[in-house]
Amino acid sequence: MIKRNNVSGASTAAALATAVIVMTGVFFTVSPAVADGLTLEQLAALRYVDEIAVSPDGEMFAYTLTVQRNPFEEKNGSAWKELHVVSTNGGSRPFVTGKVRISHIAFTPDGKSISYLAERGDDTVSVLYLIAVDGGESVKISQNRTDIDEYSWAPDSHRLAFLAEDTLPTTTLALEKKGFNQEVYEEDGRDAAVWITDVSDSAAPRRLDLPGSASNIRWSPDGKYLALALAPTPLIDDEYMAREVCFVDVAEGTISRRLNNPGKLGKIAWSPDATRLAIISGADINDPDEGELLVASVDNDDLKPVITNFDGHVRDIAWLDQKTILYRSDEGVHTKIGMVDVATLERKEIIPPGSTAFTDMILSADRRTVAVVGSAYNHPWELFHFTLKQKEPIRLTDSNPWLSEVAFARQEVVEFTARDGLQLQGILIHPLNEQPGNKYPLILSVHGGPEANDRDEWLTWYASPAQVFAARGFAVFHPNYRGSTGRGVEFSKMGQADYAGGEFNDLVDAVDYLVATGLIDSSKVGITGRSYGGFATAWAATALSEHFAAAVMGVGVSDLVSKFGTTDIPNEMYLVHARRWPWDYWQWYMERSPIYHAQKHKTPILIMHGEDDTRVHPSQSMELYRYLKTLNQAPVRLVFYKDEGHGTLKAAARYDTGARVLRWMEHYLMGPGGDPPPYQIDYGLLEKTASSSTATER
């Protein structure tokens, strides 16, 4: 069954021809030649809300605005993050803008100022700044010799707890300058230590002597305790799988209690009376993702489940009063906001699923106003707010007003049945100018994880530009295959101990279903994905090659044996994915690897990888390329990106990625096929965009 969300394509191409795009105060017009639907150049200019904060009285909201760079008009790099403030009446004001990267924003408990982390001016590390809510200059209030990673205000607005690594000894720094800069792999990392400082005086911060590497620091409302998580080492594998929540007595600087939380850890929140702590946790050590809501007292109660064993994942929490918790959850392809009574466990829905999907929920200190980030099929992430009396989210920002002139393809929720009877969901984006009775090429866009889920929201990004695909005549489908989140613990465990089994058969079943609707041409199906989605893509191009006419793999897995030996998350790989050690199941690991099926390869595949990836080592892409290139049964191309890791951050590489995936799909699903298109990319339209904006600014 297809469930329709009643959205439509919108404005005409003629209207878009005169649209104006706003980029950090710079205006440029959109060329009529690229006016029919969203383009890669428009995607590269998109701005969106990232972090949010709400004042204690709920009247003001701070947010960071992501402003992407154009490498033809400024130095290439990752996006800028500006600080803006908006009130409940609207009218956003820029506070700190330009070439800045601001993070970890918060209002001080007295509501007089906004704090944030940034490297500004001659800073060489991340520093804590303060700016008054009525404007003025930012003031540096806490500077460490290493980056400040995270912080939390005490209720008195003077004391501050922050996380930072210890400074390297002077002798070590001197030796490094002489060339003794060797890395002792996984042994020379430094813990994130906890520091206490008083911003009202100049005394040196006090370092707490705690075992392990700290994160998730939260000061209690009574000012007596810190709640935080400790991992045994700073390794990412321990951060994923071995963090434990602790209560720390601030005065003594010692741990008063450990909570023994099971599995992965999400967000934590204090009750208003500082007697209890709520956490989001995995159900057990084998749970792929945190999503269960648990509560414990400061004194001696064990963690007790409040929301557990339901068909969803809790993502955000905040206490409304001593007995009620506000929560945001992913449930299927939608988000919900509700409240739960911690005594009776009774739940009440506040914001039901709608046309906007919400993330990053924050409650004001007076517990009346809720701020959330939301997106929809026709706009990326913006700031919304609502009160518990209104229960109707109001949008406060419009970061891309020009989007109202863009024609968007119809997006809808699709439900289908896998071959074993399992009910599955996904999001279908139709071709923009769809004509009844016509068949269209399909691009299957597979999310990573697999502990993730695609929601009915903005689904257009650099590596899988869904609306750009749709504007070019493709249908795009985002399947939530078994192992995805948003449907509870049991569903998210369905892919365990079955690499490339039922989970990737679900992808073929999704294609078969869409072909049966009459929309899709079965001979023109492409697939793309990154990370675990890249694993799916490699599998589709080899073991399932007969089903796919084109493939684009990003930072994907090709050899599970060598992947285990080169990743920085071996324990996570075992505990929540394989559930088997390689040395006990060599043959199984090999047979579930795409390279084992290289001789079945008939699908043209483009492979892309960041050279600095530690999660999925770039050798995974090299292995697949070398096997397929040597066999020479179908076209294959490998692109490495310098100074990029598991996620692509810099503007040039992002645009290049989108341009390559779009051209590969057009060449093999719409064009002549055969030999690959030229490896060079024409960046002329992006450069023209930069030239137009510069000329208009002058």
Side-chain angles (χ1 to χ4, degrees):
M1 170 174 73
I2 294 182
K3 292 186 176 179
R4 305 189 182 277
N5 65 1
N6 198 27
V7 299
S8 63
S11 312
T12 64
L16 181 59
T18 59
V20 175
I21 296 179
V22 184
M23 290 181 59
T24 324
V26 178
F27 297 81
F28 62 90
T29 56
V30 179
S31 167
V34 293
D36 193 11
L38 198 70
T39 69
L40 286 176
E41 292 69 43
Q42 291 171 318
L43 181 59
L46 212 63
R47 305 191 300 175
Y48 52 88
V49 171
D50 189 7
E51 295 183 38
I52 57 173
V54 58
S55 63
D57 62 3
E59 294 297 317
M60 297 178 66
F61 307 86
Y63 65 95
T64 57
L65 181 68
T66 297
V67 179
Q68 300 186 84
R69 306 191 202 194
N70 187 319
F72 287 103
E73 63 182 354
E74 59 183 318
K75 184 179 179 181
N76 183 41
S78 56
W80 303 118
K81 304 282 185 179
E82 301 181 339
L83 175 63
H84 294 250
V85 175
V86 63
S87 70
T88 53
N89 297 323
S92 181
R93 292 181 294 154
F95 264 49
V96 184
T97 62
K99 296 181 179 181
V100 293
R101 286 189 52 79
I102 286 170
S103 66
H104 293 80
I105 59 174
F107 281 87
T108 53
D110 59 15
K112 295 179 180 179
S113 303
I114 300 168
S115 55
Y116 63 89
L117 295 178
E119 286 185 38
R120 304 186 63 192
D122 58 359
D123 295 336
T124 58
V125 294
S126 180
V127 175
L128 187 63
Y129 285 88
L130 204 64
I131 186 169
V133 295
D134 54 1
E137 294 296 325
S138 296
V139 178
K140 193 180 298 186
I141 61 168
S142 187
Q143 182 172 6
N144 203 54
R145 293 179 67 182
T146 59
D147 288 316
I148 296 176
D149 295 326
E150 190 181 337
Y151 65 93
S152 179
W153 285 101
D156 58 17
S157 293
H158 292 292
R159 290 176 297 164
L160 186 80
F162 66 87
L163 305 181
E165 294 177 349
D166 286 317
T167 306
L168 285 171
T170 304
T171 53
T172 301
L173 294 173
L175 287 169
E176 283 188 352
K177 290 181 179 179
K178 293 186 178 295
F180 297 97
N181 56 0
Q182 62 283 337
E183 175 187 4
V184 183
Y185 189 63
E186 294 189 346
E187 290 187 45
D188 57 4
R190 288 174 287 166
D191 291 333
V194 179
W195 307 76
I196 306 292
T197 189
D198 190 325
V199 299
S200 62
D201 65 38
S202 57
R206 172 170 61 109
R207 185 188 188 281
L208 304 188
D209 186 18
L210 301 175
S213 191
S215 59
N216 282 36
I217 190 167
R218 298 291 184 274
W219 209 305
S220 66
D222 63 3
K224 296 180 180 179
Y225 294 96
L226 292 173
L228 53 87
L230 286 173
T233 76
L235 297 177
I236 188 68
D237 213 11
D238 281 343
E239 181 182 333
Y240 278 1
M241 305 308 305
R243 286 191 298 165
E244 186 176 40
V245 178
C246 305
F247 294 111
V248 174
D249 185 301
V250 175
E252 299 294 330
T254 57
I255 296 173
S256 60
R257 184 160 175 250
R258 294 177 179 268
L259 286 188
N260 257 344
N261 50 285
K264 292 182 177 180
L265 177 66
K267 297 184 178 180
I268 65 179
W270 283 98
S271 63
D273 59 2
T275 62
R276 287 183 286 188
L277 192 75
I279 72 170
I280 302 174
S281 173
D284 53 54
I285 195 63
N286 302 121
D287 191 347
D289 202 16
E290 61 274 11
E292 309 257 296
L293 177 55
L294 311 173
V295 172
S297 73
V298 175
D299 300 327
N300 52 22
D301 286 350
D302 292 332
L303 281 164
K304 296 178 181 178
V306 176
I307 299 179
T308 185
N309 296 325
F310 83 118
D311 293 335
H313 280 75
V314 177
R315 296 306 187 193
D316 279 304
I317 50 175
W319 292 78
L320 291 171
D321 53 43
Q322 272 70 265
K323 66 173 186 176
T324 312
I325 296 176
L326 183 74
Y327 68 90
R328 180 188 65 83
S329 60
D330 286 345
E331 300 186 32
V333 296
H334 301 292
T335 61
K336 294 182 183 179
I337 297 175
M339 61 174 67
V340 59
D341 187 305
V342 298
T344 66
L345 308 187
E346 181 180 353
R347 302 203 307 265
K348 180 181 178 182
E349 189 176 87
I350 296 177
I351 306 295
S355 59
T356 303
F358 295 107
T359 60
D360 297 331
M361 181 189 74
I362 299 179
L363 180 67
S364 61
D366 67 6
R367 309 189 189 281
R368 296 178 182 175
T369 303
V370 183
V372 288
V373 176
S375 77
Y377 79 102
N378 59 351
H379 72 80
W381 303 273
E382 300 284 4
L383 174 60
F384 291 73
H385 83 102
F386 65 92
T387 67
L388 296 177
K389 290 183 179 180
Q390 289 175 315
K391 300 179 183 178
E392 182 66 35
I394 299 171
R395 181 172 167 178
L396 290 173
T397 60
D398 186 2
S399 304
N400 307 282
W402 54 271
L403 280 178
S404 63
E405 302 295 333
V406 174
F408 282 93
R410 184 159 58 92
Q411 180 170 303
E412 62 182 348
V413 177
V414 170
E415 296 183 355
F416 65 99
T417 305
R419 65 190 68 179
D420 60 358
L422 184 66
Q423 294 299 303
L424 298 169
Q425 293 178 312
I427 308 297
L428 176 65
I429 298 95
H430 285 251
L432 178 60
N433 298 309
E434 178 184 352
Q435 298 297 317
N438 286 359
K439 293 182 183 294
Y440 294 89
L442 172 70
I443 298 174
L444 203 64
S445 182
V446 186
H447 67 69
E451 58 273 23
N453 67 317
D454 283 329
R455 297 181 294 261
D456 189 13
E457 59 178 346
W458 181 262
L459 290 172
T460 300
W461 61 303
Y462 75 95
S464 181
Q467 286 289 342
V468 178
F469 286 147
R472 300 295 187 105
F474 292 97
V476 184
F477 188 61
H478 293 254
N480 284 330
Y481 51 101
R482 68 190 70 201
S484 301
T485 55
R487 291 184 59 181
V489 176
E490 182 181 354
F491 186 87
S492 67
K493 287 184 176 182
M494 283 186 173
Q496 291 184 344
D498 190 27
Y499 275 138
E503 57 186 7
F504 295 164
N505 287 338
D506 291 344
L507 307 180
V508 174
D509 295 342
V511 172
D512 289 345
Y513 172 80
L514 294 172
V515 168
T517 68
L519 178 66
I520 302 304
D521 183 339
S522 62
S523 67
K524 297 180 179 180
V525 177
I527 184 170
T528 187
R530 295 177 66 83
S531 193
Y532 208 90
F535 176 27
T537 302
W539 187 260
T542 54
L544 301 175
S545 190
E546 70 273 17
H547 299 283
F548 298 95
V552 179
M553 180 182 90
V555 294
V557 178
S558 68
D559 181 349
L560 289 169
V561 176
S562 61
K563 197 271 187 180
F564 185 90
T566 54
T567 186
D568 58 2
I569 52 169
N571 286 304
E572 200 252 7
M573 186 175 169
Y574 162 71
L575 288 167
V576 303
H577 297 298
R579 300 295 296 271
R580 300 168 172 178
W581 296 112
W583 41 85
D584 293 327
Y585 289 89
W586 291 119
Q587 188 62 29
W588 179 79
Y589 265 74
M590 290 172 59
E591 291 176 0
R592 299 304 176 99
S593 298
I595 60 167
Y596 188 82
H597 302 274
Q599 288 176 290
K600 302 174 185 175
H601 174 234
K602 299 294 182 184
T603 305
I605 183 170
L606 170 64
I607 304 168
M608 296 184 283
H609 216 122
E611 285 189 342
D612 297 336
D613 193 350
T614 58
R615 196 68 25 82
V616 178
H617 196 273
S619 60
Q620 290 292 301
S621 286
M622 175 60 83
E623 280 193 57
L624 183 63
Y625 171 80
R626 186 56 66 207
Y627 273 66
L628 302 186
K629 186 71 173 180
T630 303
L631 282 166
N632 196 29
Q633 296 175 174
V636 57
R637 173 171 290 160
L638 174 60
V639 180
F640 282 127
Y641 290 98
K642 297 180 183 299
D643 302 319
E644 297 287 1
H646 198 56
T648 304
L649 298 177
K650 295 181 180 179
R654 283 185 166 226
Y655 183 85
D656 185 87
T657 297
R660 288 186 187 279
V661 66
L662 179 60
R663 188 177 64 172
W664 195 265
M665 293 300 184
E666 286 188 324
H667 184 79
Y668 286 107
L669 301 183
M670 290 181 170
D675 292 336
Y679 71 83
Q680 300 93 339
I681 293 292
D682 182 0
Y683 307 111
L685 285 176
L686 185 65
E687 186 174 11
K688 184 178 180 181
T689 297
S691 300
S692 298
S693 64
T694 302
T696 305
E697 187 179 24
R698 288 197 298 266

